[in-house]
Amino acid sequence: MELRAELLKSIWYAFTSLDVEKSGKVSKSQLKVLSHNLYTALNIRHDPVALEDHFRDDDDGPVSNQGYMPYLNKFILDKVVEGTFDKENVDSFCWTLCAKKNYRPKNDVGVLSDRDAFHLWCLFNFLSEDKYPLVLAPEEVEYLLKKICSAISVELSCVDIEELISKEAVQQSGITVWAFLDFVNTGRLTKGVEKESVTMAIEKVYREIVGNIIKEGYVWKKGHLRRNWNERWFSLRPSTMHYYVSEDQKECKGCIELDQNCCVEVLPEREGKRCMFCVKTLSKTYEMSAPDTKQRQEWTTAIQTAIRLCVEGKNSLHKDLKLRRREQREERERRRIAKEEEEQRLHLIHEERERQLVELELLQEAQRQAQAALQKEEQKRRQQHEELQNTLQEQLQLAEEARASMQVEMAMKEVETERQRRRIRELEDMQLRLEEALHQEIRARQDEESYRLAQARLLVEEEEKMKALLALQEEQEQYIQKTQKEKLELRQEMETKSQALEEAQHQLEKVRANRHRMDQDIATAQRKLRQASTSVKHWNVQMNRLMHPIGPGERRSSLPTVRVPSLRDPGLHLYHQRSEEREKKRLSEQGKTEENNRDEGGIVSGREERRPSHASNGDMDCT
């Protein structure tokens, strides 16, 4: 999956470079060329028919990126086998397509050569995220520039890097590869540095990051057979450590396979060699000597790192570092978002507190106004109380004067009051007598009302009983009519059944007469048959005598007999038996019908009861 993702990054640049109108569509002829070159670069068998079949209906029309991706995955990327091709060739082909239309140094003069720009383009793709369009995060840009400056031994200018990554668009979405190459081509980072040094530095960073080389350099190695010391160029990758005759890496002298069973140890000085260390595997121990102590420390640390990556199942140090940097960025982003949320929450709390303080000040102001209004109200109330007290004193004096005059009037009134009291007592006595007479009249009216109510109840009861009596009489008349109607229907039904019974008896008598006549005919036929058989026997005897005269001493042979059916013949007996069974069945059904009629009607005449027994006696006689 990692190889597919890296290939897709390069192919994406090639595809977008063919999309001249920036519409996300590329012509079919251009896709044919792109696919053919990808087959060649990835060392896959060419399939020229697949593209025609995949876009059969397009007929050289525009094809969308979504339409090409299924073909790319199915016929190209799914067939890729890691180790059967050189990825640098694929990157070089895609770079050639996209650089022609996108990479244009100002005035065609720049610090970078075409190969340096290609290497930086590959580094950019390696460090970019798997999100399209491909951009590089500001932290990754700074990391890559620091690596290049460190390889050139130049200090990175913070002003220049801040100018590049401080733009708002770069902070939000990242920087594109073409903007990155334009910035490097300005020469701000490599002032006073020769182009060859820049090329060597970019080559070194490219081999380290893209080429997955952890460390390389010259180290003295002790031979296994001759046991002599030779200077070799070592190239350390995860799980392998190759050593060559020289730096050009044309002649490989051997390879040390690193795994979890390997280890690196520092050795003391001996045999005139210093800064020694060794790499131990299960089969061999490789002794080496670094140029100085710093180099030995770097080599031992790098080898330990390679062994650790092998144990952890990782095949690239810089991919691991990129993942860690991505996690750190995500963690910083989460912290930044959490900090912003916390600041926003504190800001809201501060605003809420200020609002509460404003409300408290408003409440205090309202309280002060209320106290002032209360004081004014208290003064007004006291003033009114004083005025009321003065008014009451004046009224009290007037009341004293009125009291004196009232006492005189009261004496006069006393006399009038006594006279009125006597008049009231007389009126009260008269009222008591009137009330008693009124009570008597009310009781009399109540008794009369109760009598009237009792009489009304009796009338209501009498009317209800009359209605019930009329209803009963009407129901009795309906029941009588219904009973008469049912009796009439029953009588009609009985007459119908009696007629049917008589007709059945008449038919039975006819059947019996017919049967009797048939019996006589059968007896006559049997008698005639016997006579005929006797006649046949007689004539047979005569014929035999005429045909064979009797000789002396001959034995008479028996004549053939002709069978005459008699009354005991089985066929005739079976005929009589079946006739009797049919007659019995008919009589039993007739008897069941009469029993049902007897249950329904309840009355059957004696004459109708005697007929079945007579019929049965007749049957027995006939039999």
Side-chain angles (χ1 to χ4, degrees):
M1 294 301 293
E2 293 181 358
L3 179 61
R4 179 187 289 257
E6 294 298 326
L7 290 174
L8 275 175
K9 290 180 180 180
S10 301
I11 296 171
W12 177 80
Y13 278 109
F15 184 88
T16 52
S17 65
L18 298 176
D19 182 14
V20 180
E21 297 179 356
K22 306 297 181 181
S23 61
K25 296 181 179 180
V26 179
S27 65
K28 189 175 178 181
S29 59
Q30 290 177 319
L31 289 181
K32 287 181 181 179
V33 177
L34 175 62
S35 302
H36 180 80
N37 285 280
L38 288 176
Y39 279 127
T40 304
L42 294 171
N43 196 17
I44 302 173
R45 186 175 61 86
H46 289 257
D47 192 358
V49 182
L51 189 64
E52 295 291 341
D53 293 340
H54 190 75
F55 301 108
R56 186 178 302 164
D57 298 332
D58 289 347
D59 196 14
D60 286 339
V63 179
S64 67
N65 187 12
Q66 294 179 354
Y68 184 64
M69 279 304 295
Y71 170 80
L72 180 65
N73 287 321
K74 181 177 179 181
F75 295 100
I76 298 178
L77 296 180
D78 289 346
K79 298 180 181 179
V80 171
V81 179
E82 189 173 1
T84 60
F85 66 96
D86 188 1
K87 185 178 180 298
E88 188 173 356
N89 293 334
V90 181
D91 293 337
S92 178
F93 160 68
C94 296
W95 162 256
T96 303
L97 282 179
C98 63
K100 290 181 180 179
K101 298 181 180 180
N102 297 291
Y103 178 60
R104 297 185 182 89
K106 294 182 179 179
N107 300 324
D108 294 332
V109 177
V111 177
L112 303 175
S113 63
D114 290 340
R115 185 165 182 79
D116 295 340
F118 167 67
H119 286 166
L120 287 177
W121 179 77
C122 294
L123 288 168
F124 186 94
N125 292 343
F126 181 86
L127 296 175
S128 63
E129 302 292 339
D130 297 338
K131 298 177 182 178
Y132 298 92
L134 293 174
V135 293
L136 202 62
E139 293 83 358
E140 295 295 326
V141 173
E142 185 176 359
Y143 171 78
L144 180 57
L145 293 176
K146 283 182 178 179
K147 292 286 290 185
I148 296 172
C149 291
S150 177
I152 306 174
S153 300
V154 175
E155 186 177 356
L156 181 64
S157 175
C158 297
V159 177
D160 296 334
I161 193 67
E162 284 293 330
E163 183 180 352
L164 175 64
I165 65 177
S166 61
K167 297 178 181 180
E168 185 178 357
V170 174
Q171 290 293 332
Q172 291 180 356
S173 59
I175 188 172
T176 62
V177 65
W178 313 117
F180 176 72
L181 293 176
D182 290 340
F183 174 75
V184 178
N185 264 324
T186 57
R188 296 180 183 178
L189 302 177
T190 58
K191 292 180 180 179
V193 181
E194 296 180 356
K195 286 188 176 182
E196 290 77 7
S197 300
V198 175
T199 301
M200 292 176 61
I202 294 175
E203 178 74 19
K204 180 180 179 182
V205 175
Y206 173 79
R207 289 176 55 79
E208 179 182 351
I209 296 178
V210 179
N212 202 15
I213 295 176
I214 299 176
K215 185 172 177 58
E216 58 183 359
Y218 282 105
V219 177
W220 288 89
K221 174 185 172 296
K222 188 176 183 180
H224 289 283
L225 298 177
R226 296 182 181 181
R227 308 300 292 173
N228 57 341
W229 291 88
N230 297 310
E231 190 176 24
R232 302 299 185 198
W233 176 267
F234 277 83
S235 177
L236 177 63
R237 289 183 173 89
S239 73
T240 58
M241 188 175 181
H242 292 82
Y243 50 94
Y244 303 88
V245 175
S246 61
E247 187 177 352
D248 56 9
Q249 301 183 10
K250 292 182 178 180
E251 184 180 356
C252 181
K253 299 299 290 183
C255 176
I256 303 174
E257 297 291 339
L258 301 177
D259 54 20
Q260 63 271 17
N261 298 316
C262 298
C263 65
V264 59
E265 293 181 0
V266 177
L267 299 177
E269 298 181 3
R270 62 184 179 182
E271 300 178 6
K273 294 294 181 182
R274 51 193 298 274
C275 303
M276 294 181 61
F277 65 96
C278 68
V279 178
K280 292 183 178 181
T281 64
L282 289 177
S283 57
K284 294 180 181 180
T285 299
Y286 299 89
E287 296 182 4
M288 286 167 269
S289 174
D292 52 30
T293 307
K294 181 181 178 183
Q295 288 291 327
R296 181 177 67 177
Q297 181 65 32
E298 290 178 357
W299 274 106
T300 54
T301 303
I303 295 171
Q304 289 173 352
T305 302
I307 295 172
R308 177 180 59 82
L309 291 174
C310 183
V311 172
E312 294 176 355
K314 299 175 182 177
N315 56 5
S316 175
L317 172 63
H318 287 279
K319 286 182 180 179
D320 186 28
L321 295 175
K322 184 176 75 171
L323 291 175
R324 291 183 182 179
R325 291 195 298 273
R326 181 195 301 172
E327 292 174 358
Q328 291 175 0
R329 287 198 303 273
E330 293 175 353
E331 182 65 24
R332 286 197 298 270
E333 184 66 19
R334 286 195 294 269
R335 289 179 180 177
R336 185 184 64 78
I337 294 173
K339 186 176 180 181
E340 290 179 355
E341 292 177 354
E342 183 67 20
E343 290 177 354
Q344 186 176 4
R345 188 175 64 83
L346 292 174
H347 182 67
L348 292 174
I349 293 173
H350 183 67
E351 289 181 352
E352 182 67 20
R353 185 176 296 175
E354 289 181 352
R355 185 180 61 81
Q356 291 178 356
L357 289 174
V358 171
E359 291 180 354
L360 182 60
E361 290 178 357
L362 292 174
L363 289 174
Q364 290 176 353
E365 182 65 25
Q367 186 177 5
R368 287 193 294 271
Q369 292 178 359
Q371 289 179 354
L374 186 61
Q375 291 177 357
K376 291 180 180 179
E377 187 68 24
E378 183 67 21
Q379 293 177 359
K380 184 177 179 181
R381 189 180 62 79
R382 288 178 181 177
Q383 186 177 0
Q384 291 178 353
H385 181 69
E386 292 176 355
E387 292 177 355
L388 182 61
Q389 188 174 4
N390 296 329
T391 304
L392 288 175
Q393 290 178 357
E394 294 177 356
Q395 291 178 356
L396 183 59
Q397 293 177 359
L398 294 173
E400 288 292 336
E401 294 176 357
R403 182 181 178 186
S405 61
M406 286 294 292
Q407 286 179 354
V408 175
E409 291 180 0
M410 285 294 293
M412 297 175 64
K413 294 289 185 180
E414 285 292 333
V415 178
E416 184 66 24
T417 302
E418 186 63 27
R419 188 170 59 253
Q420 291 294 332
R421 285 176 183 172
R422 287 196 298 269
R423 181 64 179 171
I424 288 169
R425 282 196 294 271
E426 293 175 358
L427 292 173
E428 287 177 353
D429 294 338
M430 187 180 293
Q431 185 179 1
L432 290 173
R433 288 195 294 272
L434 289 174
E435 287 178 356
E436 186 176 358
L438 183 60
H439 287 318
Q440 291 177 358
E441 185 178 358
I442 288 171
R443 281 196 296 271
R445 289 184 179 178
Q446 288 178 351
D447 294 339
E448 183 181 0
E449 187 68 25
S450 61
Y451 292 150
R452 287 180 180 177
L453 290 174
Q455 185 178 8
R457 281 197 301 272
L458 291 174
L459 290 174
V460 171
E461 290 177 359
E462 183 179 0
E463 185 177 357
E464 290 177 355
K465 288 181 179 179
M466 182 63 72
K467 287 181 181 179
L469 182 61
L470 290 175
L472 290 173
Q473 186 176 1
E474 185 177 355
E475 289 178 359
Q476 187 176 7
E477 289 177 356
Q478 292 178 357
Y479 181 73
I480 291 171
Q481 291 177 1
K482 184 178 179 181
T483 305
Q484 290 176 356
K485 186 177 180 181
E486 291 177 354
K487 186 176 180 182
L488 181 60
E489 291 177 355
L490 184 59
R491 186 177 298 170
Q492 292 176 357
E493 186 178 357
M494 288 175 63
E495 290 177 357
T496 304
K497 289 182 178 180
S498 63
Q499 290 176 3
L501 183 59
E502 289 176 359
E503 185 178 354
Q505 288 176 354
H506 182 64
Q507 291 178 358
L508 179 61
E509 290 174 359
K510 285 182 180 181
V511 171
R512 287 175 180 173
N514 291 333
R515 190 180 64 179
H516 184 64
R517 189 164 51 253
M518 288 296 294
D519 291 341
Q520 290 177 357
D521 293 339
I522 290 169
T524 304
Q526 288 175 353
R527 187 171 58 255
K528 288 180 181 181
L529 185 60
R530 283 195 299 273
Q531 291 175 2
S533 64
T534 305
S535 175
V536 170
K537 288 180 181 180
H538 175 70
W539 287 111
N540 284 333
V541 171
Q542 294 299 327
M543 287 295 294
N544 288 329
R545 285 178 181 178
L546 291 175
M547 295 299 295
H548 301 284
I550 300 173
E554 284 184 352
R555 187 178 178 182
R556 295 181 64 183
S557 60
S558 60
L559 294 175
T561 59
V562 178
R563 183 175 178 274
V564 179
S566 62
L567 293 173
R568 296 183 178 180
D569 187 79
L572 188 60
H573 181 68
L574 182 61
Y575 172 78
H576 286 292
Q577 188 176 2
R578 288 180 178 175
S579 301
E580 289 173 359
E581 288 176 357
R582 284 195 297 270
E583 187 66 16
K584 287 180 180 180
K585 185 175 180 181
R586 187 181 63 79
L587 292 174
S588 64
E589 289 177 356
Q590 185 176 359
K592 289 180 180 179
T593 304
E594 290 175 357
E595 288 177 0
N596 292 332
N597 293 334
R598 187 182 301 112
D599 294 335
E600 292 174 359
I603 300 173
V604 179
S605 62
R607 180 175 57 83
E608 291 173 350
E609 291 177 354
R610 288 193 298 273
R611 285 179 182 175
S613 63
H614 179 69
S616 62
N617 291 333
D619 292 341
M620 291 176 65
D621 293 342
C622 293
T623 303

